[in-house]
Amino acid sequence: MTKIAITRPSGKGEQLKAQLKQHQIAYLHTPVLSLTSITLDAQQLAPLDNADVIIFISQDAVQSLAEQYPTLPAHAKLFAVGEQTAQAIETHFSRKADFPEQQDSEGLLALKALQDLDAKQCVLVKGKGGRTLIATTCKSRGAILNQCVVYERAALEETANSWLDHWREQQITAIVLSSNAAIDAVFNTQSEQHLDWLKQRDFYLVSQRSCDYLQQEYQIAETQIYLADGASDDVVFSCIKSSQKQQVSTMSEEQKQPTAASEKPSVPETKPMKQKISKVGVLALLIATATGVMTTGLIVHGQQISDKTYAALDALKTENSALKNELKQSQQNLAALQSEQSRVSQAVNQSLSSQAAQLQESFAAQLDSKLRQADQQLSGAAINEAVYLHRLAVFKVAAEQDYQGGAAVLKRVHDVLLAQSNNTEVLKALADDIALLNAQPQPAVESIYLELHGLLNQVDTLPIKSIERQISEMKTTEMHEALSSDISDWKSNVARSFDKLVDELFTIKRSENIDIDVLLNTQETQLIAAQLRGYFSQAQTALMDKQASVFFTALTQARMHLDKYFNAESSAVKAAKAKLIELEQQPLVFSRKVELSSEQALKEWLND
């Protein structure tokens, strides 16, 4: 009875298991590998931003990348090794991907869109290890290749003994293996009994490369290997069903063969021998016939030998001698022909050897030429990339004062030029520039910005100077004294009465020696607070734009505004003023001029 072990990782092969169960084929799912995602940093993911071509090796590569880089650049063309990988791309990135009809590395590289990759930015999204065919071929076609290794496979156990014991107990007859890593994990045992048992199983594989690997590394017979047309569950199940039918057909033929053999025993067929008659034999026969005729004539004619009979006998002897000479000549001609044939064969072999040597030399010369051309293309692409990146670094340093970003870009230029020749001086200059940029002081922009933000949020809580004065000075003792009875004081009495009447009916505010000339209403108070906010916002903007003079001017204006319109006795105003004075003393230098020595060194290297 057939019982199949499925070795795919957990969560995979569900459709295959359902189909086997539907057709009542026993199976056992035993994952032998685990898949672990590899986290990439921003620099490792950066090539994806400018990629012209992105190639995905597997569904696991798609899923692992989607967890770290959820949106692919719109201008990049996407390619997948197989249909299921293309479906995974559509699921995770909502993008269509091209895939070959022959769903493997060779089929992918045969796509028309991947034939001309000269100077194109290509990113290969793959797992750790595996074949290098796609990478080397893309490089040979002129691509600027970067690889994103986003996952790795590892065996679940140090050895295969645990699941091999289980399989033997469950009487497994066939094993489904989807990669070379799975093959190694299954055969990772030192037990001779386990190896002997494994070598008697049937194997269902998904690629010709795995078939060759299984035969060469573990000496599995070709008759025990069944190759599916792809890695999908449907294709593997079709391969299993096809092999089941083939085995049933083979067993039926073996059962019928002995019966057919017993019904009709084989009889050795005898072939008549073909007799050869030589000229000498013919001559002997003629002689014998002539002799018989002569004997008969002698008997008839009374045994008398006539001159005519002897003459005929002499003629026969002469003819026999001529035939012998002709035979000898024929033998000599045959020897000469054989010698000539040997000479011609030797000449032909020499000619073929010479032509083979010439073809080999020609092929070697063409191969060397192609390799030199490929090296030149790769070198040219690397130089162009280095020049572009160096210009970007110069821009970041000179225009943006982004020293850390400039150092990172120069590090990439250094890595690109490592493989070039006569590059000692330019590499030294790049190393010096990187050290120089890393040593540049970095203002605490973020901290200062947050302190300004805190001041900005406190504006509404800061008290504005009160322009209302207590009019106690105006309400002197004289205003509240009784009216004088003296008639001559009538003017003062009228003034006091008027002041009292006004005081009771109206509120008149009087002020003397104050800083603000007019009374402030609610709108004007809001404008004062808004103007202070404006100074703080202007300082924040200047800080982010790296405009030191504007930054310090805005802080000074804000401090003067505080002194003029806000209550200097308030603790909140005092704290805000102290913070502004502290910020005015910050050593901000944004326009520092940094000269990159690698710029001139790179120009001199390119001109050599």
Side-chain angles (χ1 to χ4, degrees), residues 284-298 309 313 316:
L285 180 59
L286 292 174
I287 294 172
T289 304
T291 305
V293 172
M294 286 190 298
T295 303
T296 304
L298 290 173
T309 301
L313 182 59
L316 289 174

Side-chain angles (χ1 to χ4, degrees), residues 73-92:
H75 64 273
K77 294 183 179 179
L78 310 183
F79 295 89
V81 171
E83 183 177 4
Q84 288 191 324
T85 303
Q87 292 175 354
I89 293 172
E90 186 171 3
T91 299
H92 290 282

Side-chain angles (χ1 to χ4, degrees), residues 315-379:
L316 289 174
K317 289 180 179 181
T318 302
E319 186 178 357
N320 188 22
S321 177
L323 290 173
K324 287 181 179 180
N325 291 333
E326 185 179 350
L327 177 60
K328 184 178 180 180
Q329 184 64 36
S330 298
Q331 290 174 344
Q332 292 176 352
N333 293 338
L334 178 60
L337 289 173
Q338 289 176 343
S339 176
E340 181 66 17
Q341 181 183 5
S342 176
R343 186 187 66 77
V344 172
S345 297
Q346 185 177 1
V348 170
N349 289 335
Q350 291 178 351
S351 177
L352 290 176
S353 299
S354 176
Q355 292 179 2
Q358 292 177 357
L359 288 175
Q360 186 174 3
E361 292 177 359
S362 176
F363 177 74
Q366 292 178 2
L367 181 60
D368 290 340
S369 176
K370 291 294 184 182
L371 290 176
R372 286 195 299 271
Q373 183 179 0
D375 290 340
Q376 291 174 356
Q377 291 178 349
L378 290 175
S379 178

Side-chain angles (χ1 to χ4, degrees), residues 22-269:
Q22 182 181 358
H23 289 78
Q24 297 182 349
I25 299 176
Y27 68 88
L28 181 66
H29 189 192
T30 308
V32 299
L33 297 175
S34 65
L35 297 178
T36 305
S37 295
I38 299 176
T39 302
L40 305 181
D41 56 29
Q43 184 176 359
Q44 292 170 317
L45 292 171
L48 290 165
D49 297 335
N50 300 319
D52 300 311
V53 173
I54 303 177
I55 300 174
F56 292 88
I57 299 299
S58 63
Q59 303 173 65
D60 299 311
V62 176
Q63 183 175 353
S64 298
L65 180 64
E67 294 172 356
Q68 309 179 55
Y69 194 88
T71 304
L72 296 176
H75 64 273
K77 294 183 179 179
L78 310 183
F79 295 89
V81 171
E83 183 177 4
Q84 288 191 324
T85 303
Q87 292 175 354
I89 293 172
E90 186 171 3
T91 299
H92 290 282
F93 296 106
S94 301
R95 295 277 302 277
K96 295 287 186 180
D98 293 338
F99 62 91
E101 185 174 347
Q102 177 185 333
Q103 300 184 21
D104 55 17
S105 299
E106 288 78 2
L108 177 72
L109 293 171
L111 290 175
K112 184 177 180 181
L114 294 179
Q115 300 307 304
D116 183 12
L117 299 175
D118 187 23
K120 290 185 178 180
Q121 297 282 348
C122 294
V123 178
L124 184 60
V125 185
K126 60 188 289 290
K128 188 174 183 180
R131 301 178 71 187
T132 60
L133 177 63
I134 295 178
T136 54
T137 304
C138 289
K139 287 182 179 179
S140 68
R141 294 175 181 176
I144 302 172
L145 184 70
N146 290 279
Q147 299 189 33
C148 286
V149 180
V150 294
Y151 73 94
E152 61 180 344
R153 297 187 182 95
L156 288 174
E157 301 289 343
E158 293 184 359
T159 66
N161 295 332
S162 59
W163 55 67
L164 289 178
D165 289 336
H166 185 49
W167 287 352
R168 294 182 68 176
E169 291 176 0
Q170 296 295 322
Q171 298 180 350
I172 294 297
T173 61
I175 305 171
V176 176
L177 299 168
S178 57
S179 66
N180 289 2
I183 293 175
D184 290 336
V186 168
F187 279 86
N188 183 23
T189 178
Q190 301 297 323
S191 171
E192 293 295 334
Q193 293 181 350
H194 284 332
L195 289 175
D196 292 341
W197 181 83
L198 271 175
K199 290 181 179 181
Q200 296 174 12
R201 304 305 99 187
D202 290 335
F203 296 89
Y204 295 99
L205 306 180
V206 300
S207 70
Q208 183 62 48
R209 184 171 65 96
S210 295
C211 293
D212 298 338
Y213 183 77
L214 186 60
Q215 293 181 58
Q216 294 171 5
E217 294 294 326
Y218 300 105
Q219 290 76 48
I220 302 301
E222 185 177 359
T223 56
Q224 296 172 243
I225 299 175
Y226 298 92
L227 175 60
D229 292 335
S232 66
D233 288 346
D234 286 336
V235 173
V236 174
F237 175 73
S238 298
C239 181
I240 294 174
K241 286 292 293 180
S242 177
S243 66
Q244 294 291 313
K245 294 179 180 178
Q246 182 179 352
Q247 291 174 0
V248 172
S249 175
T250 303
M251 292 176 61
S252 301
E253 290 178 0
E254 290 177 351
Q255 292 173 355
K256 293 178 181 179
Q257 187 174 355
T259 305
S262 61
E263 291 176 357
K264 187 177 181 180
S266 60
V267 179
E269 188 181 73

Side-chain angles (χ1 to χ4, degrees), residues 383-384 386-387 417 600-608:
I383 291 173
N384 290 336
V387 171
L417 294 181
Q600 183 62 29
L602 183 61
K603 290 180 180 179
E604 293 176 356
W605 179 73
L606 292 173
N607 293 329
D608 289 344

Side-chain angles (χ1 to χ4, degrees), residues 10 61 82-83 128 145 155 306 310 334 336 355 404 443 446 456 472 490 510 516 522 528 555 579:
S10 299
E83 183 177 4
K128 188 174 183 180
L145 184 70
S306 64
Y310 284 111
L334 178 60
Q355 292 179 2
Q404 297 298 321
E446 183 177 355
L456 195 61
S472 58
W490 65 271
R510 298 181 176 86
I516 300 176
T522 303
I528 290 174
L555 292 183
K579 178 58 66 176

